[in-house]
Amino acid sequence: MRIIFKTNETLCVLRYGDTANAKIAQAKQKIVQTYHFSKAQFDVVQGKTSMQEFFSHDADVCMDCPFAVSNGAKLSACYTHKPVQYSGFLSMLRSISKQTKWDDIPELNADIERDILAMCNRKYIRFGTYGEPSLMPYELASSMVAVAKNWTGYTHQWHRKPEYSTLFMASTHDELGEQRASRDGWRSFVASARGIKGLVQCPASKEMGYKSNCVKCGLCSGTEGKGNKSVVILEH
């Protein structure tokens, strides 16, 4: 099941289905995932393209993320920049383009919101499987988590969009970044080169022996979700 709409001249896709990533969910367990794509990415997949070209058009959906290709990062910097994910993104966008043109994709409306909330009811939501999750309108995201079983989400826009602190984790990369985000009212998910004392180690990580997965854990759910400490994982 898939729902699409446009917001801020970007494409938002919500997909209800399983994932091959065992760190997220068990095999064949269905979850809701959100994706955000730029118009340039939608357009470029209509013809022959490459991973480098596709991800180079990520500015509108990755913004100032340090791992964005549009910000000068290497293609390998982001964990979403892998052949399996890339192939899935291409397949998704090409499937959508067969059904509708960009100009005909609807803006968010009451009917779409109703369908989204029905999709999310008592489900796990993975915000931002690709793209910046704060592109999801805050009021809609709040309504989604209100009906969900649990959720996770991470944003590099924590210094610009404080309201999302209730829903998502600040994406930070060292102890100083975590402290800055904490002063601004955020819990962090810290991808660090080393462990940080006093933080919770991600139970779905390699260093913790994959003791759990995101669906079971649900710690990365902002200040109104589960847990009250920041979470750390070794860089992956």
Side-chain angles (χ1 to χ4, degrees):
M1 181 180 180
R2 184 171 65 199
I3 299 172
I4 66 173
F5 65 91
K6 283 189 297 193
T7 179
N8 298 317
E9 286 304 307
T10 60
L11 170 64
C12 177
V13 182
L14 294 94
R15 176 182 175 271
Y16 178 59
D18 55 14
T19 174
N21 190 337
K23 291 179 286 187
I24 304 300
Q26 294 177 338
K28 297 183 179 181
Q29 184 176 9
K30 294 185 182 299
I31 63 174
V32 176
Q33 300 187 81
T34 76
Y35 307 77
H36 301 272
F37 299 102
S38 69
K39 183 179 185 301
Q41 288 175 322
F42 182 87
D43 289 342
V44 77
V45 303
Q46 307 312 312
K48 187 175 181 180
T49 187
S50 65
M51 285 182 63
Q52 183 69 42
E53 182 180 21
F54 177 81
F55 289 115
S56 70
H57 295 295
D58 62 10
D60 288 344
V61 292
C62 295
M63 302 178 184
D64 60 359
C65 172
F67 304 127
V69 173
S70 58
N71 290 326
K74 293 181 179 180
L75 184 61
S76 60
C78 179
Y79 70 94
T80 68
H81 298 172
K82 295 178 180 178
V84 171
Q85 284 94 330
Y86 168 66
S87 177
F89 300 157
L90 260 61
S91 177
M92 177 184 288
L93 290 176
R94 285 171 174 164
S95 174
I96 292 170
S97 69
K98 288 180 180 179
Q99 299 172 357
T100 184
K101 297 178 181 179
W102 177 267
D103 290 342
D104 295 330
I105 298 172
E107 299 285 338
L108 182 64
N109 57 49
D111 290 338
I112 292 174
E113 183 169 353
R114 182 193 62 238
D115 292 343
I116 290 172
L117 297 184
M119 174 191 279
C120 295
N121 188 40
R122 299 184 64 80
K123 306 297 192 305
Y124 163 78
I125 307 170
R126 186 186 183 199
F127 286 98
T129 296
Y130 178 72
E132 170 53 52
S134 67
L135 286 168
M136 185 74 69
Y138 178 76
E139 293 78 9
L140 174 58
S142 294
S143 296
M144 290 166 65
V145 305
V147 300
K149 181 178 180 180
N150 59 354
W151 74 93
T152 56
Y154 316 86
T155 177
H156 278 102
Q157 298 302 301
W158 58 268
H159 54 301
R160 291 193 175 93
K161 299 183 177 183
E163 65 274 20
Y164 286 88
S165 65
T166 60
L167 309 177
F168 304 150
M169 307 293 278
S171 289
T172 58
H173 304 282
D174 53 33
E175 191 169 4
L176 180 60
E178 191 278 333
Q179 291 171 351
R180 288 174 175 170
S182 180
R183 286 195 295 269
D184 287 346
W186 289 81
R187 294 173 60 222
S188 286
F189 183 78
V190 191
S192 174
R194 59 181 180 81
I196 300 176
K197 187 177 180 180
L199 304 190
V200 177
Q201 287 187 291
C202 172
S205 64
K206 180 179 180 180
E207 57 268 25
M208 288 296 288
Y210 306 113
K211 290 182 178 180
S212 188
N213 60 41
C214 295
V215 172
K216 292 179 181 178
C217 176
L219 279 176
C220 295
S221 47
T223 60
E224 290 189 359
K226 184 179 178 182
N228 52 30
K229 290 185 177 182
S230 292
V231 179
V232 63
I233 190 172
L234 296 184
E235 290 178 344
H236 56 286

